[in-house]
Amino acid sequence: MVLLDNSNFILRLEKIANEAKDNSSFTITFKRYDGHDRPVPRPEKKPLPKPETYMCLMRAQFKSKKISTVVRQGDVPTMMAMYSQFMKSKMDGLKRVKKVKSKAKAAKA
Amino acid sequence: MVFVKNWEDFEIAAENMYMANPQNCRYTMKYVHTKGHILLKMTDNVKCVQYKAENMPDLKKIEKITSNLVGHMASKE
């Protein structure tokens, strides 16, 4: 699992989206992350410190390649803006819904 | 699978699931270009709710819910 910074994560996501266009899919996961990087200690030992602020862990998986990034509270707006842009540009294979202009047709007839 | 037909129901269920157990919940989205849909899933390792988005207007709703959830996740308690 490759841990990247926020902008590199989005760049790699775009490459993944291009590769996956023809015949496969990719998955993105969001989860709350408390910053602990050690396993939970035994009861008699000192417990891990309680985090002051939580972060968000974003992971992406394509075939067998995995990337991840950590989003801190301050970076959330920037990251979400970049992610929204990514979604709009790459996730465009969805159906376009045509507005049924039946009222206009009925008015004309 | 546990698919929800209605977008509002999915949004409410996902939000409730996260609020009940923020540390154990994860939100997943899977995009399949060839089939033209996005599969959304929210699970707390016990139950899960899913939604299949096939239309362009759903994309904006997905952006909104994602921003909302990420905002909750990366926050103070």
Side-chain angles (χ1 to χ4, degrees):
Chain A
M1 171 86 71
V2 184
L3 184 66
L4 305 162
D5 58 66
N6 293 350
S7 21
N8 276 333
F9 180 79
I10 296 283
L11 286 171
R12 287 283 284 269
L13 257 186
E14 287 176 3
K15 284 187 196 163
I16 286 174
N18 286 334
E19 281 178 57
K21 219 166 196 178
D22 288 327
N23 56 355
S24 47
S25 65
F26 62 96
T27 308
I28 301 163
T29 304
F30 301 84
K31 189 175 177 164
R32 184 178 245 207
Y33 177 45
D34 51 12
H36 292 160
D37 56 355
R38 281 187 249 163
V40 178
R42 288 195 300 264
E44 55 264 19
K45 303 264 180 181
K46 223 196 298 184
L48 291 166
K50 195 161 185 221
E52 286 175 4
T53 175
Y54 292 92
M55 294 162 266
C56 179
L57 181 62
M58 276 178 76
R59 290 197 195 113
Q61 173 247 327
F62 165 67
K63 288 192 181 174
S64 62
K65 289 194 184 148
K66 296 176 186 171
I67 53 172
S68 63
T69 189
V70 175
V71 186
R72 294 191 167 74
Q73 193 176 8
D75 303 328
V76 169
T78 334
M79 189 55 169
M80 281 297 107
M82 288 200 279
Y83 187 67
S84 300
Q85 210 178 353
F86 160 77
M87 277 180 78
K88 279 186 201 143
S89 64
K90 298 297 174 189
M91 296 186 174
D92 55 358
L94 305 173
K95 285 183 226 166
R96 285 166 207 270
V97 178
K98 278 187 181 171
K99 276 195 174 175
V100 181
K101 293 181 183 170
S102 57
K103 279 187 183 173
K105 277 187 182 171
K108 273 187 180 176
Chain B
M1 287 297 275
V2 278
F3 279 99
V4 182
K5 300 282 177 188
N6 222 346
W7 171 257
E8 283 84 21
D9 291 342
F10 173 75
E11 196 165 1
I12 293 169
E15 190 88 39
N16 289 341
M17 197 183 265
Y18 179 75
M19 290 305 172
N21 201 345
Q23 195 58 25
N24 283 347
C25 274
R26 65 182 178 278
Y27 173 70
T28 300
M29 67 169 82
K30 180 176 186 176
Y31 176 64
V32 191
H33 186 86
T34 46
K35 294 195 181 161
H37 60 57
I38 302 179
L39 287 168
L40 300 173
K41 174 158 83 166
M42 185 74 176
T43 175
D44 63 351
N45 296 330
V46 176
K47 283 195 287 189
C48 102
V49 277
Q50 288 179 290
Y51 184 82
K52 189 185 214 178
E54 284 169 313
N55 305 320
M56 282 295 242
D58 291 337
L59 198 61
K60 257 195 179 167
K61 297 181 195 170
I62 293 174
E63 280 176 43
K64 203 177 122 204
I65 194 181
T66 311
S67 299
N68 206 3
L69 283 169
V70 172
H72 281 305
M73 287 175 186
S75 67
K76 290 184 184 161
E77 208 60 55

